[in-house]
Every structure is written in C-alpha cells, then in structure tokens.
C-alpha cells in the first residue's frame, strides 16, 4: 500500500485505534442513541387540542417504533373528571388512523388524574398518584411535565409543581425532572422575563425545555447539516454571493378553533417571534465549533442580537400586515377572519405579515431577508429560498437581449421535503436559448428507515435531556426585543405603524398577486 495523507489517517484509525472510519450508519441507528431511561410523562391539558392532534399521535408512534422506554408511564392531567378507561378511549380516538395492533399494550401505560391548575390539594393528590404509579416501573422517579395548557396557567402550574416538591430532582438517585413549555413564551419582552422568573423559582435552566416544533422538523434540522457538513456551499454563503433570502411559511388553514388565543397573538407573535426568527438564525448563523446545544444556541443568539431594529418609519416601509376576508380555499368557500367564531367583528389582528429584515454583521451586511407568513393563503408551503447574485456581466446580452435569471437554492420544508438548485443551461438546438433547470435532492431519497415527526423528535430529545432543539431564554428575550417596537407600533390602532391591509382567503396575501412569490 502506498501511503497518501488520506490513507495514513485511515491506517491510523483502523489499525492503531482499532476503529473504522466508515461513516455508513444503518437507518435504525439514527433513531435513538442507546435505550431511554424509564420515565413518567405528565401532560397538563390532556384533553386539549394540542394533546389530541400532536402529542397523542407522537407518543403512540414513538411506542410503535420502539423508541419509548418500555416502562414509560403517561399521565393525562386536566380539569375534567374522567376515568383511566375514558381517557384511554379519547387517546385511542386521537390515533384511530394509525396501526392499532399494539394499542392494548400502549394503553396499559396511560393513566388519568383530574387536576385543578390553581389548587394545591389537587397537586398534592397528583404527587401521591405519581408516587404510587412509579413504584417498580420508574424507581428513580424521572419525570417530564408537559404544559399543553393555555399560557395563563403556566405560572400557577409551575408554582404548584414547585410547592408540592414535584420539581425537585433527586440528587442521590439521579432522578431527573423536566418541564416542557409551549410557545408563546410571554407576549412581549416584559412578560417573557416574568414567565422565566416564575419558572426559575422552582426549576433550574437545565430542567426547562421551551419547545419550538419547527426546530424539530427533519428538514429544518438539515439546514445545519447542509451548510456545515459540505464544504462547497459555505464559501458562497455571504453578502458577496447572496442577493437576498426569502423565508416563507404559508398556511391555507384559517384560525380554526383557536380564536381566543389568536386574537391575542396575531401572526407576529404566533409565527414570527419563534418559528420565523429561528429559521433566520439557522440560515444566517456562523458555524458553531461543536454540535452541542449551547454552542449552537450561542451562535443563534449572535444572529438575534444582530437583527436591525425596525424604527417606526422602517416598520411602515418594511412591513406589510394583512387580515383575510372571505374567499375560496381548495375549492370551498371560507369565511373572513372577522366572521370566524370567537373573533371580534372589528378585529385588527393581523393574520398575514411580510417583513424585510437585515442582519447587521460582517457576513450579511446589506442582504435583505424577506420573511412571510400568513393564514388562509393559497396553499400550505414552507420554504427557504436563497437568491444568489446575478452574473456580473452577461456575455449573452447581445443574443438574448434579456437578463439572466440568478441561481436559486431552495430548501423545501413543506410539502416538498427537498433541496433544489436552479441554474441556467442551453436549450438543445442551433439557436442560443437559455432555460432554467433544477438539480434536485428528495429528502427521503435512498432512505427507508424510520422517520420521526417534529413532536416525536422533541419528546425524544426531552427524555434524553438534549436542549439542542429548544429555545434558551436569552434567545427568547432577544427576539422579543426585536419585535416589541413593531408590536407597539401596530398595537390596536395601527396609527403609528404599518396599515392593516385585507386579502381574500385563498390568495397569496395583500395585493393578491404573486409578486413576492416570483422566483
Ligand atoms: C404553530 C402556530 O406554532 O405553528 C400555528 O401556533 C401554525 O398557528 C403552526 O398553524 C404551523 O406549524 P406547521 O408545522 O403546520 O407549519
């Protein structure tokens, strides 16, 4: 064997260290590292929408794939009175479309305990019930408390978990206790700080998991792999080569049955303070030196800190806000936002926003990030599109008489879980004609292993104590600091900030043309 740099390294790996440098990993091995510790998952808000739509299917699917620990105990906790059997029936309805061949075994781990979120007695009873259930099955008493409840109950629930001693980790037995908090983390900087203070009265930062399901989407996680596990893109990933970025999370659904929450939050709090700014951080961040939670979250915070604040004048020039009126979606007539059940008929809550954002640092100076999200748009679609600069000089100008389209790199998140690069090629034939073509990678290509949905991944990470895909408080506060001035400017009256425009449901937003969608 002749030694070159590469095979010397391989030689060292295989012979001296007795390791192999073959990186092919069987798909099952990507699901979970080792077996998970026994634990109890208590879901507050166990009869609510989030539990039924997301948590129940996620837990059952994790059970089916063998990822959940065998001895897992799942306790539903909510205000209604209900027996274990009735609770199991409800959860069964929530997973009715899934493979039910293992249902009975899974159902045996489900329990229900009625809880009043402001009653110390109720929490004392919960504590006793958990203690009884855990005997033998979860001797260390590892626990996750999942707050799938309205944010107005976060503070009292965290407080009562603390005063009943349920938040305490057992130092001697190494039993851990974690609390999962769903967004919104407050409704502005001040309330976010208050909420954090309440959580910290009884939980330490390592116990708090602030969930953002966008981060746990496979295609979103892949942004980091794509950028930092390939050498060819990063040299182009900056203001020298990128003209602008477009990040879109369009939904065709309306406000559904969440009017009470949505009226208070609107699209800025519902989608921008969290999901949209997380996507910005992933495409804009510097490479962390290690794939570890705090290394990554440090880099994200640097991006959040570099967001250029929108002055009142900027917010009128760089932000478009809209609200949907009646229209047609998927061929069916749908009501306008103000006619949705529970919505104020004069509501000024925005259901659509587009904003032009700048990241003021060396890499991104002058590159606009266009962020768009809205409800009742033409279709559900989430994607990040990187628009590269145009060629500096077109030698085809004389022949084609027109500009050459710039290269686009599209990171599809939903429904197209794919990455494609658009570039120009020559059409076959004697005449010089250019056309845009795509080089494409489908995320599932050559992969047959199990796939986890976002909530499944987040629950698994929480059981493993991995904070990588969860918000850290400094990030939450930095994003509120960025949005607060805009929220204040649009407040209730829109007299200082951007005007509220109206768009027909089923279109692409105010202006009702595809201008912003143009590639
Ligand atoms: C949630 C918002 O966080 O994200 C919802 O509260 C929105 O209003 C949802 O519909 C969108 O998530 P996804 O995964 O369907 O794009």
């Amino acid at each position: 064997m002749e030694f070159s740099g590469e095979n010397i390294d391989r030689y060292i790996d295989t012979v001296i260290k007795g390791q192999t440098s073959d990186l092919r990993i069987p798909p099952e091995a990507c699901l979970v590292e080792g077996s998970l510790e026994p634990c109890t998952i208590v879901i507050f808000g166990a009869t609510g929408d989030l539990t039924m739509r997301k948590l129940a299917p996620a837990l059952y699917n994790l059970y089916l794939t063998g990822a959940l620990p065998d001895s897992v105990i799942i306790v539903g906790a909510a205000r209604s009175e209900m027996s274990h059997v009735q609770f199991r029936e409800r959860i069964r309805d929530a997973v009715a479309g899934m493979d039910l061949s293992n249902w009975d075994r899974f159902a045996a781990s489900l329990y229900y305990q009625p809880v009043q979120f402001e009653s110390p007695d109720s929490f004392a009873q919960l504590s006793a019930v958990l203690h009884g259930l855990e005997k033998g099955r979860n001797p260390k008493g590892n626990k996750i408390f999942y707050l799938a409840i309205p944010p107005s109950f976060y503070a009292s629930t965290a407080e009562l978990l603390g005063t009943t001693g349920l938040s305490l980790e057992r130092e001697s037995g190494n039993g851990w206790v974690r609390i999962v908090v769903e967004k919104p983390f407050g409704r502005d900087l001040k309330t976010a700080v208050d909420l954090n203070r309440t959580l910290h009265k009884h939980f330490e930062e390592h116990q708090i998991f602030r969930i953002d399901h966008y981060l746990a989407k496979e295609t979103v996680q892949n942004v980091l792999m794509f950028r930092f596990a390939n050498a060819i893109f990063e040299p182009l990933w900056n203001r020298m080569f990128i003209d602008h970025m477009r990040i879109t999370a369009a939904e065709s659904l309306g406000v559904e049955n969440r009017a009470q929450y949505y009226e208070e939050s609107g699209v800025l709090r519902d989608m921008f303070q969290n999901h949209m700014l997380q996507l910005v951080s992933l495409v804009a961040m510097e490479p962390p030196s290690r794939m570890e939670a705090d290394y990554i979250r440090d880099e994200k915070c640097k991006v959040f800190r570099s967001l250029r604040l929108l002055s009142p004048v900027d917010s009128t020039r760089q932000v478009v806000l809209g609200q949907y009126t009646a229209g047609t979606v998927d061929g069916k007539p749908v009501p306008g936002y103000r006619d949705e059940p529970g919505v104020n008929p004069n509501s000024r809550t925005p259901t659509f926003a587009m904003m032009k954002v700048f990241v003021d640092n060396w890499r991104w100076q002058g590159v606009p990030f266009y962020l768009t999200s809205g409800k009742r748009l033409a279709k559900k679609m989430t994607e990040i599109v990187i628009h590269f600069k145009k060629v500096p000089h077109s030698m085809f100008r004389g022949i084609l008489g027109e500009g050459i389209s710039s290269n686009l790199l599209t990171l599809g998140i939903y429904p197209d879980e794919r990455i494609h690069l658009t570039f120009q090629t020559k059409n076959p034939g004697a005449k010089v004609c250019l056309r845009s073509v795509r080089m494409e990678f489908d995320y599932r290509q050559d992969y047959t292993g199990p796939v986890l949905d976002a909530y499944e991944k987040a629950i698994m990470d929480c059981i493993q104590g991995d904070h990588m895909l969860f918000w850290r408080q400094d990030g939450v506060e930095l994003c509120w600091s960025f949005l607060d001035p805009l929220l204040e400017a649009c407040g209730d009256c829109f007299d200082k900030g951007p005007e509220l425009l109206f768009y027909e449901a089923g279109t692409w937003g105010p202006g009702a043309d595809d201008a912003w969608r143009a590639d």
Side-chain angles (χ1 to χ4, degrees):
M1 180 207 263
E2 217 175 274
F3 283 118
S4 66
E6 195 186 330
N7 62 26
I8 287 179
D9 286 347
R10 186 178 283 262
Y11 175 81
I12 292 171
D13 274 352
T14 52
V15 181
I16 302 183
K17 294 190 200 152
Q19 294 169 355
T20 170
S21 52
D22 189 344
L23 274 175
R24 273 169 299 162
I25 297 170
E28 311 74 55
C30 297
L31 195 58
V32 58
E33 262 173 60
S35 56
L36 299 181
E37 287 186 75
C39 66
T40 304
I41 303 175
V42 181
I43 306 176
F44 291 109
T47 53
D49 185 60
L50 177 68
T51 306
M52 295 305 156
R53 274 192 315 114
K54 300 285 187 184
L55 302 182
L59 286 165
Y60 185 48
N61 201 42
L62 284 174
Y63 187 81
L64 291 179
T65 51
L68 273 191
D70 280 345
S71 50
V72 69
I73 300 166
I74 300 169
V75 180
R79 282 176 287 189
S80 341
E81 290 291 332
M82 197 187 306
S83 66
H84 300 315
V85 174
Q86 285 168 321
F87 179 60
R88 288 171 191 158
E89 278 165 10
R90 282 214 184 189
I91 298 292
R92 193 179 192 281
D93 290 346
V95 302
M98 299 169 70
D99 165 14
L100 290 175
S101 51
N102 270 313
W103 169 255
D104 290 341
R105 286 190 55 205
F106 176 70
S109 7
L110 297 176
Y111 300 88
Y112 184 78
Q113 175 64 22
V115 165
Q116 302 309 318
F117 298 117
E118 280 152 342
S119 154
D121 288 350
S122 194
F123 276 71
Q125 277 166 22
L126 174 69
S127 176
V129 166
L130 295 182
H131 195 67
L133 288 174
E134 283 172 342
K135 270 191 200 138
R137 284 172 77 180
N138 175 14
K140 289 186 183 170
N142 298 324
K143 287 183 215 6
I144 293 178
F145 294 107
Y146 199 120
L147 306 193
I149 46 179
S152 49
F153 290 118
Y154 285 178
S156 63
T157 306
E159 183 76 36
L160 289 173
L161 285 172
T163 50
T164 40
L166 281 168
S167 62
L168 290 179
E169 298 197 308
R170 281 198 232 146
E171 275 173 35
S172 48
N174 288 331
W176 44 256
V177 177
R178 296 175 186 146
I179 186 165
V180 181
V181 189
E182 278 277 343
K183 66 166 240 298
F185 315 119
R187 48 175 290 107
D188 53 22
L189 178 59
K190 184 186 170 304
T191 48
V193 171
D194 289 347
L195 170 62
N196 193 46
R197 200 175 293 128
T198 310
L199 292 174
H200 273 275
K201 265 167 80 183
H202 299 289
F203 292 88
E204 293 182 33
E205 182 64 22
H206 74 268
Q207 295 180 275
I208 304 173
F209 287 71
R210 299 177 192 84
I211 195 168
D212 184 325
H213 76 283
Y214 260 58
L215 290 181
K217 290 177 189 257
E218 285 287 352
T219 40
V220 172
Q221 291 176 63
N222 190 47
V223 174
L224 288 192
M225 317 309 161
F226 181 78
R227 288 189 57 196
F228 303 134
N230 295 295
I232 59 175
F233 303 108
E234 212 37 35
L236 308 179
W237 211 267
N238 56 53
R239 61 189 293 272
M240 305 293 286
F241 297 93
I242 292 178
D243 185 74
H244 65 275
M245 298 257 192
R246 190 157 57 67
I247 302 181
T248 306
E251 296 186 77
S252 54
L253 284 182
V255 67
E256 306 301 294
N257 51 2
R258 299 162 73 216
Q260 197 187 352
Y261 153 76
Y262 201 83
E263 274 284 88
E264 287 289 306
S265 76
V267 70
L268 294 174
R269 291 188 174 91
D270 187 47
M271 293 295 291
F272 281 73
Q273 192 275 339
N274 34 72
H275 310 322
M276 299 302 279
L277 290 179
Q278 279 288 349
L279 295 180
V280 171
S281 71
L282 287 169
V283 287
M285 72 199 262
E286 295 300 318
S289 58
R290 277 157 63 169
M291 180 74 178
E292 279 182 25
D294 275 332
Y295 286 68
I296 290 181
R297 297 190 300 176
D298 285 347
E299 293 304 334
K300 287 182 175 178
C301 281
K302 287 186 201 161
V303 174
F304 298 144
R305 209 170 277 124
S306 308
L307 290 170
R308 188 185 302 169
L309 292 181
L310 295 165
S311 68
V313 174
D314 292 339
S315 66
T316 55
R317 287 193 194 139
Q318 290 176 213
V319 180
V320 176
L321 295 177
Q323 189 187 80
Y324 64 83
T325 57
T328 307
V329 173
D330 293 334
K332 294 195 191 104
V334 294
Y337 179 71
R338 291 177 176 185
D339 295 322
E340 298 274 19
V343 171
N344 175 349
N346 299 315
S347 171
R348 300 198 56 82
T349 301
T351 58
F352 171 98
M354 176 194 274
M355 69 176 76
K356 182 177 177 183
V357 168
F358 288 94
V359 178
D360 277 339
N361 63 18
W362 194 279
R363 188 192 280 254
W364 295 115
Q365 192 50 238
V367 177
F369 290 66
Y370 295 95
L371 316 182
T372 308
S373 180
K375 293 212 178 277
R376 284 282 189 235
L377 297 180
K379 66 172 188 178
K380 180 158 175 63
M381 181 268 292
T382 314
E383 67 180 17
I384 300 170
V385 185
I386 295 111
H387 290 245
F388 287 92
K389 293 200 170 190
K390 288 194 185 296
V391 290
H393 166 72
S394 171
M395 61 183 260
F396 306 103
R397 209 177 45 221
I399 311 170
L400 298 172
E402 59 188 48
I404 295 179
S405 310
S406 51
N407 298 111
L408 302 182
L409 180 66
T410 303
L411 310 180
I413 294 169
Y414 185 90
D416 290 336
E417 298 192 326
R418 58 184 66 185
I419 297 175
H420 52 84
L421 178 67
T422 312
F423 55 93
Q424 311 308 316
T425 54
K426 179 186 172 302
N427 262 349
K431 197 167 168 243
V432 175
C433 293
L434 291 182
R435 62 179 167 145
S436 289
V437 292
R438 280 173 164 200
M439 201 156 68
E440 207 159 78
F441 159 70
D442 186 319
Y443 204 70
R444 314 260 177 228
Q445 185 180 309
D446 301 331
Y447 180 79
T448 51
V451 178
L452 295 182
D453 110 315
Y455 272 91
E456 293 166 25
K457 169 77 177 140
I459 292 169
M460 292 255 295
D461 281 3
C462 183
I463 298 177
Q464 294 180 99
D466 185 347
H467 275 95
M468 179 113 59
L469 303 178
F470 295 83
W471 280 85
R472 202 170 61 186
Q473 179 65 12
D474 50 353
V476 172
E477 291 180 15
L478 286 163
C479 289
W480 279 124
S481 307
F482 169 70
L483 273 187
D484 267 4
L486 176 62
L487 289 166
E488 202 176 308
C490 36
D492 287 333
C493 53
F494 287 88
D495 55 356
K496 292 180 279 175
E499 203 187 329
L500 182 68
L501 305 171
F502 294 91
Y503 61 98
E504 197 182 319
T507 64
W508 283 109
D513 61 31
D514 281 4
W516 63 268
R517 290 261 307 121
D519 284 342

